[in-house]
Amino acid sequence: MEVEQGLVLVSGPSRSGKSRWAETLLQHQDAVTYVATAARREHDASWQERLRLHRERRPAHWSLVEAEANLPALITDIDPNHHLLIDALGGYVAWCLELEHEQWQNACQQLIKSLTMRQRAAVVVIEETGWGVVPPTAIGGLFRDRLGSLAQALEQHSQRSWLVVQGRALDLHALGIPV
């Protein structure tokens, strides 16, 4: 399964294989820009190991850029002939947690616009966070709710949508019914 154009969502819980599936969708493309959104966390050995595994798995010819809260502008600046893989939107949401509600809504609209204007595929990994324990903090709840709402907003514009669980990718457009 490969993609040529349009927005493609890949969601799932932690350690589900969602990043691997997203990479598989673009593995045979020549021009791919991989956008990393998470903070570097250079003193977190476990996180660094995860990043190492991601780097080793990606084709060497893919470009890598790092994004923070500037993701929509960065997407607009990436070569329009490149396919795009964003891994993952949880990092972007985390960078934007201090935004007020209206500012966040505007940021989401800008993100959707930047993704849907692309000429090539934009494969976006987005974490599923609402299946677990209810966050004990207000900021944790805000993160979970913003990520879930953003996933639903992006789904309205997606050509394909995948849920990856236990190393299995499920085509939500083929299997699901919109609610």
Side-chain angles (χ1 to χ4, degrees), residues 148-165:
S149 295
L150 180 56
Q152 285 194 46
L154 287 167
E155 166 55 31
Q156 294 175 17
H157 301 277
S158 72
Q159 304 301 309
R160 300 296 296 257
S161 219
W162 297 92
L163 173 63
V164 181
V165 180

Side-chain angles (χ1 to χ4, degrees), residues 91-112:
Y92 173 65
V93 171
W95 288 111
C96 296
L97 282 174
E98 294 183 8
L99 296 179
E100 296 295 328
H101 178 75
E102 292 297 322
Q103 294 171 309
W104 171 246
Q105 293 302 313
N106 186 45
C108 289
Q109 290 172 0
Q110 290 176 11
L111 178 63
I112 291 167

Side-chain angles (χ1 to χ4, degrees), residues 86-133:
I86 300 173
D87 195 0
L89 285 185
Y92 173 65
V93 171
W95 288 111
C96 296
L97 282 174
E98 294 183 8
L99 296 179
E100 296 295 328
H101 178 75
E102 292 297 322
Q103 294 171 309
W104 171 246
Q105 293 302 313
N106 186 45
C108 289
Q109 290 172 0
Q110 290 176 11
L111 178 63
I112 291 167
K113 182 179 179 183
S114 69
L115 289 168
T116 57
M117 301 277 300
R118 301 220 27 103
Q119 297 174 15
R120 299 283 186 223
V123 178
V124 178
V125 177
I126 188 162
E127 301 89 338
E128 291 289 342
T129 59
W131 291 1
V133 176

Side-chain angles (χ1 to χ4, degrees), residues 32-46:
V32 176
T33 298
Y34 181 99
V35 180
T37 65
R40 289 186 181 202
R41 302 190 322 208
E42 294 181 19
H43 300 291
D44 182 339
S46 174

